Amino acid sequence: MKNNKKYVFGIPDDEFIRDKVPMTKSEVRAITVSKLRLNSNSHVLDIGCGTGSITIECGLICSEGEVIAIDQKTEAVKLTEKNVKKFGLENVQIVEGSAPKDIPRKYYDSIFLGGGSRKIDEIIDFVLNHLKSGGVFVANTILLDSTYKILSALEGRFMDIDVALVQVAKGHQLGGWMMKANNPIYVISAKLP
């Protein structure tokens, strides 16, 4: 059933059904999705979909395209399914499995990796073979090790490699306003020649 509520880019975090599964927060999500360079007919892959917040934002933008979301954790897949249903998206396919082994062998305009992985080299090889020419790969990381591994794997194989450290602090009312910092996130993006 289609949801008739209108959503705009940058959905507030409290609009998503949450649990203990990590979620890309709205400010980082806005930067991440902008780096994916989406069109209404883009075909997108979200590796490590978590709650599905990136999947949802992409699905809303790519209304004539498709988003495939994959996660190896059953809890994450179920949460993404709930959020897809809540937002009334019909252009999202959700896969429970590990990357890159269980990812549908299609060609994508944009591929997002939500966090680090022990299989960085295998995932980058998949990206090289399944990202359309001129397509964009974006990864968000927290750990320096994951950031270094991804950047090393991209060098010499991709162009326009960019990395930004995003640090967001949110205001909280505690008898006065106090800023509380979220984890800093590295947003890595690269284009396939």
Side-chain angles (χ1 to χ4, degrees):
M1 186 168 140
K2 200 107 166 120
N3 184 339
N4 291 328
K5 183 173 179 182
K6 296 288 183 194
Y7 293 96
V8 295
F9 180 68
I11 300 167
D13 292 341
D14 60 4
E15 288 281 330
F16 292 94
I17 300 167
R18 299 282 309 275
D19 204 342
K20 295 175 186 171
V21 176
M23 182 178 84
T24 303
K25 305 295 188 295
S26 66
E27 293 83 4
V28 173
R29 190 177 342 112
I31 292 169
T32 301
V33 172
S34 74
K35 295 282 187 180
L36 287 167
R37 304 286 186 238
L38 303 174
N39 293 309
S40 61
N41 63 349
S42 293
H43 291 264
V44 182
L45 173 62
D46 180 0
I47 303 170
C49 59
T51 60
S53 65
I54 295 283
T55 295
I56 301 303
E57 295 269 12
C58 292
L60 290 168
I61 294 168
C62 306
S63 57
E64 300 165 29
E66 176 186 42
V67 180
I68 295 178
I70 183 169
D71 206 296
Q72 60 188 353
K73 297 177 183 162
T74 303
E75 184 181 6
V77 168
K78 287 182 179 177
L79 231 104
T80 298
E81 287 171 346
K82 287 178 185 176
N83 279 308
V84 165
K85 185 177 180 181
K86 176 184 177 184
F87 286 87
L89 295 175
E90 298 174 354
N91 59 340
V92 174
Q93 176 188 343
I94 305 165
V95 177
E96 183 173 350
S98 65
K101 180 176 65 95
D102 298 315
I103 298 172
R105 300 306 195 247
K106 297 182 176 189
Y107 291 97
Y108 302 93
D109 298 296
S110 301
I111 297 177
F112 172 68
L113 174 61
S117 171
R118 293 190 177 113
K119 299 178 182 176
I120 293 295
D121 289 325
E122 291 175 51
I123 290 171
I124 297 299
D125 286 341
F126 178 90
V127 170
L128 282 166
N129 291 312
H130 294 88
L131 188 62
K132 293 177 185 176
S133 179
V136 178
F137 171 71
V138 176
N140 287 359
T141 61
I142 294 175
L143 300 176
L144 287 170
D145 291 347
S146 299
T147 306
Y148 175 77
K149 286 177 188 174
I150 291 171
L151 287 170
S152 297
L154 295 177
E155 288 175 350
R157 300 157 96 180
F158 287 79
M159 50 189 262
D160 300 330
I161 299 171
D162 181 62
V163 60
L165 175 63
V166 179
Q167 176 116 25
V168 176
K170 301 285 283 188
H172 294 274
Q173 182 69 287
L174 294 170
W177 284 95
M178 177 189 115
M179 299 306 287
K180 185 175 178 184
N182 291 340
N183 289 330
I185 305 290
Y186 293 92
V187 179
I188 302 165
S189 62
K191 185 177 177 183
L192 192 64

